[in-house]
Amino acid sequence: MRNRWLIYLVVGMGFGFADWYFLDLLALLSQNQSLNENLLQTPEYIHILILTVLVISNYGIWLIPVIPTAIYEMKRSHSLLRAAISAVIVWSAAMLSYYAYYAFLLLYVGLPNLNFMLFSNRQSTTYWADLWPPFRRVILVQFVEWIGIAVIGGMIVGTLSAYVYQQISKKRKQRGAF
């Protein structure tokens, strides 16, 4: 049983890391010059449809690791609460790894317009004073906001996924009994 929870943690951490690159891919697609030129020649409803698909892709991808995890936990434990907790673990671990990787990039790799935050600049007399406000705003505040969503949303999505699975399983068993 303990191995499952460790696997949920690893899946979440891997997903949080991968989501960073998925968002980069979405950004690249939206900035593609030839794609944008072709879109200018399409009707307005196509623009709305593409925007809708991008937004759904951005947020909907977060369902990919959570729904199977909750269903798997429901199959194993037969507990809606444990299924919900598994979803919370996956999303919380994803948030932790996403923002840890974000902090790593800020401090050691550098991001556009934020090179002053590179740890290699720490000898500057104003480094720590310059670092803290954006680090707090970009990493800590956003992490706290999103971890709350991960916990509440994970409980909801995990419970709903497991409940729907449970109901479908009951109906299949009832049909098989007759």
Side-chain angles (χ1 to χ4, degrees):
M1 182 171 128
R2 288 184 181 152
N3 289 339
R4 287 197 317 261
W5 299 100
L6 182 60
I7 290 169
Y8 302 156
L9 187 66
V10 170
V11 165
M13 293 186 83
F15 179 79
F17 177 77
D19 186 59
W20 182 267
Y21 291 100
F22 179 73
L23 292 176
D24 275 354
L25 176 66
L26 287 180
L28 283 174
L29 286 174
S30 68
Q31 294 171 358
N32 184 308
Q33 191 66 31
S34 63
L35 181 63
N36 287 332
E37 288 171 6
N38 290 336
L39 284 176
L40 291 174
Q41 300 168 8
T42 60
E44 186 66 27
Y45 71 90
I46 297 293
H47 296 154
I48 294 169
L49 178 64
I50 290 172
L51 179 62
T52 302
V53 167
L54 285 173
V55 169
I56 288 171
S57 297
N58 187 15
Y59 293 107
I61 194 155
W62 283 81
L63 297 174
I64 291 173
V66 168
I67 292 173
T69 301
I71 290 171
Y72 181 78
E73 184 57 34
M74 185 64 187
K75 286 179 182 178
R76 294 288 187 211
S77 68
H78 305 287
S79 167
L80 287 175
L81 178 61
R82 286 181 182 221
I85 292 170
S86 72
V88 169
I89 288 171
V90 168
W91 271 356
S92 296
M95 289 298 156
L96 181 64
S97 70
Y98 180 90
Y99 282 101
Y101 187 61
Y102 198 172
F104 170 79
L105 291 175
L106 282 171
L107 295 172
Y108 297 102
V109 177
L111 292 174
N113 302 320
L114 298 172
N115 284 337
F116 69 92
M117 294 180 75
L118 286 169
F119 191 68
S120 60
N121 297 332
R122 69 187 176 280
Q123 301 304 326
S124 168
T125 56
T126 62
Y127 176 76
W128 297 106
D130 293 340
L131 171 79
W132 181 245
F135 187 86
R136 186 178 156 274
R137 184 179 64 251
V138 171
I139 302 295
L140 298 178
V141 170
Q142 286 186 23
F143 174 75
V144 169
E145 289 173 359
W146 283 104
I147 199 73
I149 292 169
V151 170
I152 295 167
M155 289 297 279
I156 293 167
V157 172
T159 302
L160 284 174
S161 301
Y163 180 76
V164 168
Y165 167 78
Q166 183 183 48
Q167 295 306 308
I168 290 170
S169 294
K170 283 181 184 178
K171 287 182 181 180
R172 284 184 182 159
K173 286 179 185 177
Q174 287 173 352
R175 273 190 255 146
F178 293 109

